[in-house]
Amino acid sequence: MPAESGAVPQELLALAEKAAAPQLRETALDRRFGPRSSWVPAAGQLWRAVREDVTALVVLIAVDVESVTVVPASVDSGGAAADTDTVVLDGTVLGVPVTVWAGLRRALPASVLDRPVDDLGAAVLSRIADRAPAAEPASTAPLVDDVRAELADDLDLLAEPAVEAVPVPADAGDAPAGAPAAIDLDAVDPADLDEAAARLGVPLPVVLDLIDGKRPPTPAEADVLRQVLGAAPKAAPPPLALVVELAQPRWRSLVRQHRRRRGLTEAAARTALAFDIGAMAARQTGEREPSWSDRIRLWAQGEQLNPDADA
């Protein structure tokens, strides 16, 4: 199963079969943790973390608004001795002994969390804290075996900043010499608006959103706006609270569905969602701060997307 699928990975399902652990199956996990759009990460939980082709099991040590502090877990101890910084757990939903590498503590973006697997509880957190070296981050922890080194590499990749590839605001400095920095809508011929909509293949309200700066044009859209209207305005950034909300794992299925629909990377799809939902909210609520979770669900309903679907 591809790493970026939101479903339980095949390697864990194989473990469930081998260990007679039906509680690891997708339906059982959904019953335990609820619909995807209700997932809230919490300290002590075991999660699957994914970025592109990198997948890891991690225990959440602390949860912040935009990031989580984790330590990795594996079903392979790599020969780690009992007196090292590892904790071996026998009672997890995986049904096999799990090694938690307490010394490989790392901060990760909340957006890489993909699916909750188990809730290990406060007692396990206390054991991990007792084993962890004081204030020793993963990047400097001694790599005493191949398993530890591989886990540290995976954490490094998961921690890398996401590249927001598309769409980006068109910079007025990229416009042809003499082009205006903004578009005066009152001075635009309605026929030009219709031409821009036709050439872009979008409804007129989308063109108006681009002109108003409610979402950024793609490079191709910016070229059309410059050719037809003389400029491509720079879009105002989406509300920070919406950007933070969309980075939560409860919306990752929606991001993936939008990614496939638009042919974007996951990071770019999350950015596009922020602009689209922000523009919708601006039209409906004006200056008042909306409930972003409600607005995300409303937008998804209008687009016939299901945030709770497997993706």
Side-chain angles (χ1 to χ4, degrees):
M1 180 177 297
E4 64 182 25
S5 167
V8 178
Q10 288 291 346
E11 63 269 22
L12 295 189
L13 289 177
L15 282 175
E17 198 72 39
K18 180 179 179 180
Q23 66 270 29
L24 185 56
R25 296 201 170 275
E26 192 80 23
T27 53
L29 289 175
D30 284 347
R31 283 195 301 270
R32 181 175 184 184
F33 292 100
R36 293 171 186 270
S37 62
S38 70
W39 290 348
V40 177
Q45 291 178 341
L46 178 66
W47 277 72
R48 179 189 186 219
V50 174
R51 170 170 283 163
E52 297 179 355
D53 294 330
V54 179
T55 304
L57 289 173
V58 295
V59 180
L60 308 191
I61 303 301
V63 177
D64 203 348
V65 176
E66 299 182 66
S67 64
V68 290
T69 302
V70 308
V71 292
S74 72
V75 294
D76 183 355
S77 69
D83 60 351
T84 67
D85 59 357
T86 61
V87 176
V88 179
L89 307 176
D90 292 315
T92 75
V93 72
L94 299 181
V96 295
V98 173
T99 302
V100 178
W101 301 78
L104 296 180
R105 188 171 65 257
R106 190 64 185 267
L108 301 179
S111 60
V112 302
L113 296 181
D114 189 60
R115 122 84 65 200
V117 177
D118 202 356
D119 193 341
L120 304 179
V124 170
L125 276 181
S126 179
R127 291 176 61 190
I128 293 172
D130 290 342
R131 287 282 186 177
E136 185 173 30
S139 58
T140 59
L143 304 181
V144 297
D145 50 59
D146 291 341
V147 174
R148 184 190 296 271
E150 183 177 351
L151 290 171
D153 288 344
D154 287 345
L155 290 178
D156 286 343
L157 292 170
L158 288 167
E160 288 181 356
V163 177
E164 305 292 339
V166 180
V168 296
D171 190 328
D174 295 332
I183 297 174
D184 181 0
L185 188 56
D186 292 335
V188 174
D189 189 322
D192 290 339
L193 293 176
D194 291 337
E195 181 183 349
R199 291 180 59 176
L200 291 172
V202 298
L204 184 58
V206 174
V207 177
L208 297 177
D209 280 348
L210 293 172
I211 292 173
D212 290 340
K214 291 179 178 177
R215 80 168 179 84
T218 64
E221 289 172 336
D223 286 343
V224 170
L225 292 177
R226 292 190 188 108
Q227 292 167 17
V228 178
L229 304 178
K234 183 176 181 179
L240 178 59
L242 172 58
V243 174
V244 172
E245 178 64 23
L246 282 169
Q248 302 307 309
R250 54 184 166 267
W251 305 117
R252 198 163 190 187
S253 173
L254 180 62
V255 171
R256 286 193 174 109
Q257 293 172 63
H258 197 52
R259 169 187 180 171
R260 288 196 297 270
R261 175 179 287 187
R262 295 279 297 273
L264 303 172
T265 65
E266 184 168 321
R270 188 174 285 109
T271 300
L273 276 174
F275 279 102
D276 289 348
I277 295 168
M280 179 194 72
R283 291 193 300 269
Q284 295 177 349
T285 62
E287 299 298 323
R288 181 166 52 86
E289 180 79 1
S291 165
W292 289 119
S293 60
D294 290 343
R295 293 297 170 183
I296 292 170
R297 290 188 178 91
L298 183 62
W299 181 91
Q301 183 180 14
E303 295 291 321
Q304 298 183 326
L305 298 175
N306 181 5
D308 295 319
D310 293 344

